Amino acid sequence: MRTKLFNPFIYLAGGKALALGIAGMIMAALLGFFGHSHFNGVLDFHKFRDGLPLYISLAEQAIIFLCTVVPFYVAGRVFSTSQIRLVDVTGTLALARGPMILTAVTGFGLPADIRGLADITAGVIALALVGFVFVIWMVALSYNAFSVSCNIKGSNSVSIFIVCLLIAEISAFYCCSLLYPHS
Amino acid sequence: MSKKLPHICPSCSSLLNVKSLICSHCDTEVSGNYNLPVLASLTEEDQQFIISFVKCSGSLKIMAQDLGLSYPTVRNMLDDVILKLGVVQRKSTGEI
């Protein structure tokens, strides 16, 4: 059970994982659109008072995914001694973003504006924590996706993963910011 | 109960050699000092993996389907076996 929750890539990778992952990202974008929330980075999730056009929600997902795949694939090509396949790296990393669907669901219960301490109710804190747990789950899945698809194990893999995740986060955050007309 | 062929010395962890072989039909015994074949030096699990690999004509895709595992998982298992084979070969030639 634990393996299936945290490392489903032992059983599923490649094209099937990619198709499922893309479906998941579209679902997260739709939930974000209807719940007036959005993802503007690999690890970022925010509420938006007026909501965003659907095409921006979808474009955010595409940008985040591309910004994630590129550094991890390059790292795999550089550090792995195995013959890695792009379809495995993209497929597993796409599937690893699955928990973002649940994070997007929590967006329905979060207020768009928090103006003071009075707005931070126990329910809001609980939902934010639940959303945070899903983000941690996504990070754990992403690590296993990288480790399995690129065959990089041990302490080295953790350092490489952290560097790639930081590059992905910064580049995705920057590229997403270009989408918003006011920025 | 199937017996496991020991290949590592319990005392010094070196590779074991074969000292004698016996014919189970006529009890003829051959003594000498023979190296274990490289494949016999691998674990039973690794040997089973190699047998499956050969049976699948070396297709990792078919093997992944048969084992119910993903392609990169099977490829990683193969890479691990290749690494182990390298270590066993270097040990048997005295390089390490």
Side-chain angles (χ1 to χ4, degrees), chain A residues 29-42:
Chain A
L30 288 171
L31 287 166
F33 171 71
F34 289 114
H36 290 228
S37 55
H38 75 125
F39 297 87
N40 61 336
V42 177

Side-chain angles (χ1 to χ4, degrees), chain A residues 7-19:
Chain A
N7 200 358
F9 319 109
I10 288 176
Y11 311 102
L12 188 63
K16 271 186 197 170
L18 183 61

